[in-house]
Amino acid sequence: MRRGRLGIVLSIFFVCFLMLRYKGYSSQIYRLLYATFDTVYSYDQSRPHFCCTVFQGGLGNLLFQYAFSYSIAKDRNLTLLVSKDELGQLQQVFQIPNTSFDERGHRVCRYSKKYEDKFDVGYDSSILAVSNNTDLHFEGYFQSWVYWRDYDDDLRQQIQFHPQVLTQAKRLLAEALGSLGKISREVTLVGIHVRRGDMITNDYFKNYGYNVADEKYLATAMKYIRDRVKGDIVYVVCSNDMVWTKKAIKDPNAVFINGTKREYDMAALTLCDHFIMTVGTFGWWTGFLARGIIIYYDMPFRPGTPLAKNWASDYKETFFYPGWIGMR
């Protein structure tokens, strides 16, 4: 009965819409009627319910937001909506499938109730205490593997590099090893990603509370792996501050991959046997896609700063992935 009434209402609006457009009435009336169509559509019980998330930030942030949104949509049987621009950034690198590009669905989400996480890093259980059988609109960074732990295998299948990205990464690795007269099958590769850049050059970020890993951490992490791996080791290093990094890592078996695209760096690091990250979501996802021993810097913020408030108190369990090793 409700669908029948809705159909009649829609038919009336559609006829009025055509008449107004044909007779050349003002654009204001046209926009008002168009908005009314969206209002009617939002109450259509036959339409799908949507899951929308505001996507923002770099590659690592986008991956966290996608993983969170995907899991919510799967869990609640919702239609996942991701804008073409943000999804396109991910699909240029990974084999992530298309989501819905329903423009009306995007408008419905825009005006529906928005849910925001309490903190950016770590698990916020309250964010999932939302209504069922309705549109869901989220804003935040949702940086916790706990949100999507039931869909870990699904996401690993989707977040695979395109073949052309892997081909370029393998070429970079081969060239780097060639500079030492070595080949990959004869050595153990240990990837290292050093994130510094704006975290130390930008006054806002420094005052906000970002910490960066120092030389001591890198030396400790490298020694940890060296003590547990037999044979020849080559350290494959990527960084957005290569001047500092080359001074900090002086091992004769270190090679530095510099000036490439971010996806090539990430893919090359995931091809290594073990991985050492410093800070940042780029390093986190590299660790997630890598193998072997994964080491992380366990003090990525300064206590008492504004940034510290955005980290859950149990971030070492709910942000860093199980099995990873924290050091400082």
Side-chain angles (χ1 to χ4, degrees):
M1 179 65 72
R2 290 183 178 178
R3 291 188 182 181
R5 292 176 180 174
L6 181 60
I8 294 173
V9 172
L10 286 172
S11 297
I12 294 172
F13 276 118
F14 184 71
V15 171
C16 294
F17 174 78
L18 292 178
M19 290 177 63
L20 288 169
R21 289 293 289 162
Y22 180 75
K23 292 184 178 181
Y25 280 75
S26 73
S27 60
Q28 289 182 337
I29 297 178
Y30 169 66
R31 286 195 297 271
L32 176 62
L33 190 54
Y34 191 78
T36 304
F37 271 124
D38 283 344
T39 301
V40 172
Y41 179 71
S42 67
Y43 291 100
D44 183 355
Q45 294 185 355
S46 65
R47 72 170 176 82
H49 284 121
F50 301 106
C51 176
C52 294
T53 301
V54 177
F55 278 64
Q56 54 190 323
L59 189 64
N61 288 326
L62 295 179
L63 283 171
F64 269 115
Q65 290 152 5
Y66 175 79
F68 168 81
S69 304
Y70 174 84
S71 64
I72 294 294
K74 289 281 287 186
D75 196 56
R76 304 295 180 95
N77 194 29
L78 303 173
T79 296
L80 176 59
L81 296 178
V82 183
S83 73
K84 293 182 180 180
D85 290 342
E86 280 75 20
L87 187 65
Q89 289 188 58
L90 294 175
Q91 289 180 324
Q92 287 176 4
V93 181
F94 306 104
Q95 300 180 46
I96 291 177
N98 288 333
T99 63
S100 175
F101 293 144
D102 189 318
E103 293 299 333
R104 182 168 286 180
H106 280 291
R107 289 192 292 271
V108 168
C109 278
R110 189 180 305 146
Y111 297 110
S112 61
K113 181 179 178 180
K114 184 187 299 182
Y115 298 90
E116 299 184 49
D117 54 3
K118 291 180 181 177
F119 27 73
D120 295 332
V121 185
Y123 180 63
D124 175 11
S125 60
S126 68
I127 201 69
L128 300 183
V130 293
S131 302
N132 283 317
N133 302 316
T134 187
D135 303 302
L136 294 178
H137 182 188
F138 297 100
E139 183 169 349
Y141 288 94
F142 309 107
Q143 293 176 14
S144 173
W145 60 271
V146 181
Y147 290 119
W148 35 269
R149 58 187 164 188
D150 293 335
Y151 301 97
D152 187 293
D153 292 339
D154 287 3
L155 290 163
R156 286 186 184 275
Q157 286 296 316
Q158 295 180 27
I159 305 174
Q160 294 189 45
F161 294 101
H162 285 302
Q164 61 269 27
V165 175
L166 284 175
T167 297
Q168 179 66 7
K170 290 176 181 177
R171 185 186 68 80
L172 290 169
L173 275 178
E175 290 178 353
L177 290 172
S179 68
L180 297 179
K182 302 178 185 295
I183 56 178
S184 60
R185 66 174 177 269
E186 296 177 349
V187 299
T188 296
L189 299 179
V190 178
I192 302 177
H193 180 253
V194 179
R195 171 77 161 88
R196 287 169 59 85
D198 53 2
M199 288 185 177
I200 60 169
T201 60
N202 186 304
D203 288 339
Y204 171 79
F205 287 130
K206 287 192 293 184
N207 295 332
Y208 196 60
Y210 284 97
N211 247 356
V212 294
D214 56 15
E215 295 181 39
K216 178 178 176 293
Y217 163 76
L218 292 171
T220 301
M222 291 168 67
K223 183 178 185 303
Y224 181 91
I225 294 178
R226 189 185 305 113
D227 290 345
R228 287 159 178 78
V229 173
K230 296 180 180 180
D232 201 5
I233 292 178
V234 172
Y235 299 98
V236 180
V237 187
C238 297
S239 176
N240 64 345
D241 186 352
M242 200 59 85
V243 173
W244 182 92
T245 301
K246 287 182 177 180
K247 293 178 180 178
I249 301 176
K250 296 178 180 178
D251 193 290
N253 268 11
V255 293
F256 301 88
I257 296 178
N258 190 24
T260 68
K261 291 184 177 180
R262 59 184 181 178
E263 57 264 33
Y264 299 157
D265 286 357
M266 181 182 283
L269 293 170
T270 64
L271 293 172
C272 295
D273 301 290
H274 308 285
F275 178 61
I276 298 169
M277 70 183 77
T278 52
V279 294
T281 56
F282 181 96
W284 193 102
W285 282 99
T286 303
F288 179 77
L289 298 173
R291 52 192 171 173
I293 300 171
I294 310 295
I295 300 176
Y296 67 88
Y297 182 58
D298 71 358
M299 199 59 194
F301 59 86
R302 298 194 304 277
T305 61
L307 178 63
K309 298 177 182 178
N310 287 329
W311 289 65
S313 59
D314 61 351
Y315 72 90
K316 291 184 181 179
E317 290 76 37
T318 62
F319 173 61
F320 293 111
Y321 202 72
W324 292 0
I325 302 167
M327 296 181 181
R328 66 178 70 179

